[in-house]
Amino acid sequence: MTRKHLGLRTRVLTLQWPEGVQPSALPDFESQARRLRYQALGRACREHSITSLFLAHHEDDQAETVLMRIASGHNGAGLQGIKSRADIPECFGIHGVHQSGGSDQLSSRGRRRERQRDPKLSMETPFSIESGGVKIYRPLLGFSKRCLVSICASRDKRWIEDETNRDPTITQRNAVRQILERHRLPRALRKPNLLSLARDAMMRNEADSAMVEQYFNHCKMLVFDIRSGSVVMRFPKTLIPPIHEIPVESLSKTLDAARYRAACIIRRVMELVSPLGGIDLSRLKKAVEIIFPDLDDDSPWVVEDARVFQTTSFTACGVMVGRQEYKSARTGPVDSPDDPPNPSQPIGGVRLEEDPEYAWTFTRQPFMSSDSSTATNLTIIIPPATPGLHSKDDATISSTSSRDTPSSSPWHLWDGRFWLHVDNRTRSSLTIRPLRESDLKPFRLALSPKSRRQLQQRLSDAAPDKVRWTLPAIANERDEVIALPTLNVNRDRDQETQDVDYTVRYKSVDLGSGGQGE
């Protein structure tokens, strides 16, 4: 059966290199080409509403990948090679392609946010958590290149291959391919053994992932506030059996395995908050030592039920982590709108009653005021509305008109956490940027008493202390804040605010299936 009989159409995508760039002269040509290739494929999938992309990687590609990773010093999970299914790579921040676009019905005029009931949180979230995106599948990984060539030949189909694949000087993969095809390598580095190594590594990784998932679901998520991207998590007291039950000869191996699980659990929590597209476990060694001190090589024999926390806060991977120590239930009225920020106010107003030293708060690490690159990367300009045509009989023309064409921004992934879409019907540009300390007083003064109380309540609950300075703000051309979109608080005393609509969604996250909080 031919492609024509199946009703499949062919489209050739052309990669657009930046002007003036000579691809062959790039030292990282292979990586750059891979990035452009996947981004072109991802955007084409979005354009045609395709959510599943099939790639033709085969068994020989898998062997090449494993050998390349061995040469690069990888071990463990790094040797599992090419995955048979995954999110499309190299497309972080492209809406509708990477883990997003699952519900693209934008809000109507006047509706500031979407609401949804999340069954995993057992609550009504203030706006949607993203889903969707393009998944890639590799159904031919179990077939060798020789087998696929034979299948084509048996059906009188010509096997087509990029002629540059045979030039070992172009890319590392080409060189590895030539080595595997033309040289007799030690038995351990031959194709059958490389494939066996990949299968073993994949099976171990799947078993480890299942165990980590089980431990993660035993954690208690006390708070997950998507308005600021803040989490309060109670971890298990320990990830190892009682010390007296562990044979001395097995202690080192037991601790190593427990530290790996601990790092994976901490990564799962940090991924809920971090602006990064991925977190390497190697960056979490210190976090494991702080949150799970009983896993230290020296401590188990000294303190069996480790309660020694010399460090109560730290930062890693764009996340600020602090120990929660609140033992009494929350009582009393909410702070007055004119009260100064209360740095001791816990996220979500939750105070803990038992084992507080095992509960930790994860929030976005405050931005460095001296880092101009951060401010630039977190600044998004929304153009003004396009003026419409007016007749000569129009006596007056207001700042906006029903004949104006709104400036509808594409979806932006702000700070790797919030997807924002803005409709601007004003005649001026808008800016999405971080909230600053100097913004709060004038913004409060521009609110009605009711909105001022709402602002204080939401700041107190969702973004106490420095967390609030990691929130996105929408500012007008005079750099005056007119809205805090994730808190759904808008300046309500002029027409300008009424001519701006926005939709907010939190990034796609994996909440697991364990007990969740509020």
Side-chain angles (χ1 to χ4, degrees):
M1 186 174 288
T2 66
R3 174 180 56 81
K4 183 176 181 181
H5 289 126
L6 292 173
L8 301 178
R9 291 176 297 172
T10 299
R11 179 181 173 189
V12 178
L13 303 177
T14 303
L15 302 185
Q16 299 296 326
W17 291 88
E19 187 175 352
V21 171
Q22 184 64 32
S24 60
L26 294 173
D28 57 346
F29 164 73
E30 192 171 9
S31 298
Q32 293 286 353
R34 181 180 188 270
R35 178 180 59 83
L36 289 178
R37 183 167 62 250
Y38 275 119
Q39 290 184 359
L41 287 168
R43 289 189 170 97
C45 286
R46 180 181 61 184
E47 179 184 343
H48 294 279
S49 301
I50 295 170
T51 57
S52 297
L53 175 64
F54 284 53
L55 302 179
H57 292 102
H58 48 69
E59 201 177 68
D60 296 59
D61 296 317
Q62 182 73 291
E64 294 164 9
T65 299
V66 175
L67 185 55
M68 289 168 62
R69 292 188 178 179
I70 291 174
S72 300
H74 287 274
N75 54 41
L79 298 180
Q80 62 183 314
I82 306 173
K83 295 181 179 180
S84 60
R85 58 183 177 180
D87 291 314
I88 188 169
E90 307 290 353
C91 293
F92 181 74
I94 303 179
H95 191 263
V97 179
H98 180 74
Q99 299 182 351
S100 56
S103 54
D104 269 349
Q105 296 298 318
L106 298 183
S107 59
S108 58
R109 180 171 180 171
R111 183 185 178 195
R112 290 297 199 268
R113 298 189 301 173
E114 301 167 311
R115 292 181 180 271
Q116 71 173 13
R117 179 165 292 279
D118 192 313
K120 292 181 180 177
L121 289 177
S122 300
M123 63 173 287
E124 185 183 71
T125 58
F127 43 84
S128 297
I129 296 176
E130 264 293 5
S131 62
V134 178
K135 303 288 184 181
I136 58 173
Y137 300 88
R138 299 180 173 97
L140 303 181
L141 278 179
F143 297 84
S144 68
K145 176 181 176 182
R146 177 177 298 179
C147 175
L148 295 173
V149 172
S150 298
I151 291 173
C152 288
S154 68
R155 288 161 174 76
D156 295 324
K157 301 298 178 185
R158 184 166 61 94
W159 176 268
I160 300 176
E161 186 170 342
D162 187 345
E163 60 182 18
T164 62
N165 284 350
R166 299 186 178 278
D167 187 343
T169 66
I170 295 180
T171 66
Q172 181 188 19
R173 180 172 292 275
N174 282 6
V176 169
R177 182 180 299 120
Q178 296 298 315
I179 291 173
L180 281 171
E181 290 179 355
R182 300 184 180 184
H183 296 269
R184 185 174 178 82
L185 297 174
R187 185 180 299 276
L189 297 180
R190 294 175 191 172
K191 178 182 167 182
N193 288 290
L194 292 172
L195 296 175
S196 177
L197 183 62
R199 285 192 295 269
D200 291 345
M202 190 171 299
M203 290 176 62
R204 286 195 302 271
N205 185 66
E206 290 175 354
D208 288 341
S209 297
M211 184 174 294
V212 168
E213 184 71 13
Q214 184 178 8
Y215 275 98
F216 178 78
N217 290 332
H218 285 162
C219 299
K220 179 69 175 179
M221 188 182 296
L222 302 170
V223 175
F224 178 33
D225 199 323
I226 62 175
R227 294 173 296 180
S228 58
S230 302
V231 174
V232 179
M233 180 71 78
R234 188 194 302 282
F235 292 100
K237 292 182 180 180
T238 184
L239 297 179
I240 56 175
I243 292 299
H244 65 270
E245 296 181 7
I246 305 175
V248 175
E249 63 273 14
S250 302
L251 180 61
S252 178
K253 185 176 180 179
T254 300
L255 289 175
D256 285 343
R259 280 192 286 262
Y260 173 77
R261 292 195 295 269
C264 291
I265 293 170
I266 294 171
R267 177 170 66 180
R268 283 287 300 275
V269 181
M270 282 193 167
E271 285 174 342
L272 302 176
V273 178
S274 175
L276 305 180
I279 297 177
D280 194 308
L281 289 179
S282 63
R283 301 180 63 179
L284 301 180
K285 182 178 179 180
K286 192 66 177 178
V288 171
E289 293 175 358
I290 295 172
I291 295 178
F292 295 98
D294 62 333
L295 300 183
D296 183 73
D297 283 319
D298 299 323
S299 69
W301 295 106
V302 179
V303 186
E304 181 169 322
D305 186 14
R307 302 293 176 107
V308 181
F309 291 85
Q310 296 180 347
T311 303
T312 59
S313 64
F314 62 94
T315 59
C317 306
V319 179
M320 182 168 63
V321 185
R323 182 162 50 121
Q324 276 275 29
E325 295 186 273
Y326 302 96
K327 297 185 179 181
S328 60
R330 179 180 176 182
T331 59
V334 176
D335 296 339
S336 161
D338 297 316
D339 286 344
N342 181 3
S344 65
Q345 177 68 34
I347 295 291
V350 170
R351 298 182 186 275
L352 310 176
E353 296 183 351
E354 61 176 80
D355 297 330
E357 58 266 53
Y358 288 103
W360 294 79
T361 300
F362 294 75
T363 60
R364 176 66 168 98
Q365 181 180 350
F367 307 130
M368 300 293 292
S369 58
S370 59
D371 188 353
S372 58
S373 63
T374 298
T376 300
N377 293 335
L378 295 178
T379 299
I380 300 169
I381 305 299
I382 310 299
T386 303
L389 299 175
H390 302 274
S391 68
K392 296 180 180 180
D393 297 332
D394 288 343
T396 60
I397 299 178
S398 64
S399 62
T400 60
S401 167
S402 61
R403 299 177 185 178
D404 291 349
T405 302
S407 173
S408 183
S409 76
W411 283 95
H412 294 280
L413 182 57
W414 190 85
D415 191 39
R417 298 178 293 149
F418 301 105
W419 287 101
L420 296 173
H421 177 281
V422 178
D423 281 332
N424 180 13
R425 293 187 301 280
T426 73
R427 296 285 182 85
S428 304
S429 296
L430 301 173
T431 302
I432 305 174
R433 60 166 176 79
L435 179 66
R436 306 172 188 142
E437 291 188 53
S438 58
D439 294 325
L440 207 49
K441 183 176 181 179
F443 184 61
R444 278 178 172 147
L445 293 175
L447 300 177
S448 65
K450 179 180 179 181
S451 296
R452 200 176 303 171
R453 288 192 296 272
Q454 287 180 337
L455 172 64
Q456 186 60 31
Q457 175 74 69
R458 293 170 188 176
L459 284 174
S460 180
D461 283 350
D465 198 20
K466 296 180 180 181
V467 179
R468 59 192 57 178
W469 314 128
T470 67
L471 300 179
I474 300 177
N476 59 22
E477 66 176 349
R478 298 181 297 280
D479 204 29
E480 301 166 341
V481 172
I482 62 173
L484 299 180
T486 66
L487 299 182
N488 195 28
V489 178
N490 315 289
R491 199 175 70 181
D492 48 8
R493 292 186 176 180
D494 53 40
Q495 180 65 34
E496 182 178 45
T497 307
Q498 300 303 315
D499 287 330
V500 177
D501 284 336
Y502 55 77
T503 307
V504 185
R505 296 177 190 162
Y506 199 69
K507 67 175 182 176
S508 177
V509 291
D510 183 359
L511 296 173
S513 58
Q516 306 298 340
E518 59 181 293

